[in-house]
């Protein structure tokens, strides 16, 4: 009988990984509070950010207008303007040097409408900078139109500062989905 001395088998080496710090909790999303605007004569409503300043001009007049404005933060301001009256020709304000242009059909309050979005350099009234605009005209039961205009504007001495998509977010996720015709 042959006995072979084998070295003792040592356990496999274990790899010790450095401990990772626990993941940082994600910051809670900023909650936006909304207010609802009800038009007294045309019987429609929509939501807008409650912190925006509201400026109303004769809501029951034939061509009433109301503006909701978030004043500039840095060099950028956001505005939403609403008029009730004739359908506005949105395309006449788009210049040939627009850097972005998109026209699409969307459904607002059960009605198919045209949505026009564009961005262009603008200079008038002491203002110089880029404007990103969204226009929609929604027919009302009275035969008038609810014309909504969302504007992001930047003021820049060099004229090369572009708008963010913040006005798109406000119009597409807050205002347009909340339009209610009665």
């Amino acid at each position: 009988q042959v006995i072979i001395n084998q070295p003792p088998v040592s356990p496999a080496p274990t790899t010790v990984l450095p401990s990772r710090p626990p993941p940082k909790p994600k910051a809670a999303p900023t909650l936006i509070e909304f207010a609802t605007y009800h038009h007294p004569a045309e019987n429609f409503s929509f939501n807008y950010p409650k912190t925006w300043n509201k400026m109303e001009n004769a809501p029951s007049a034939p061509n009433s207008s109301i503006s909701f404005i978030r004043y500039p933060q840095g060099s950028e301001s956001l505005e939403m303007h609403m008029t009730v009256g004739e359908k506005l020709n949105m395309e006449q304000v788009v210049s040939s040097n627009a850097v972005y242009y998109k026209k699409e059909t969307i459904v607002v309050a059960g009605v198919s409408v045209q949505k026009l979005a564009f961005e262009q350099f603008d200079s008038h009234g002491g203002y110089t900078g880029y404007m990103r605009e969204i226009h929609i005209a929604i027919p009302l039961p009275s035969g008038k139109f609810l014309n909504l205009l969302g504007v992001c504007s930047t003021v820049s001495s060099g004229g090369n500062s572009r708008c963010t998509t913040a006005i798109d977010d406000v119009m597409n996720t807050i205002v347009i989905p909340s339009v209610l015709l009665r």
Side-chain angles (χ1 to χ4, degrees), residues 125-149:
Y127 163 86
T128 301
Y130 274 92
M131 295 182 77
R132 184 174 180 88
E133 300 186 17
I134 297 175
H135 296 261
I136 61 171
I138 305 164
L140 298 171
S142 66
K144 296 179 183 176
F145 284 84
L146 164 59
N147 296 290
L148 289 174
L149 165 64

Side-chain angles (χ1 to χ4, degrees), residues 37-90:
Y37 173 78
H38 296 280
H39 192 279
E42 293 296 329
N43 211 12
F44 65 83
S45 63
F46 56 83
N47 294 336
Y48 65 95
K50 190 175 187 175
T51 57
W52 289 30
N53 294 326
K54 181 172 89 170
M55 295 179 284
E56 202 162 1
N57 174 18
S60 57
N63 289 312
S64 62
S65 68
I66 186 166
S67 297
F68 305 91
I69 299 174
R70 185 191 79 182
Y71 284 108
Q73 294 184 353
S75 65
E76 186 173 282
S77 68
L78 299 179
E79 304 172 23
M80 189 184 74
H81 303 283
M82 183 240 11
T83 59
V84 173
E86 294 181 22
K87 182 178 182 179
L88 299 179
N89 181 355
M90 315 299 185

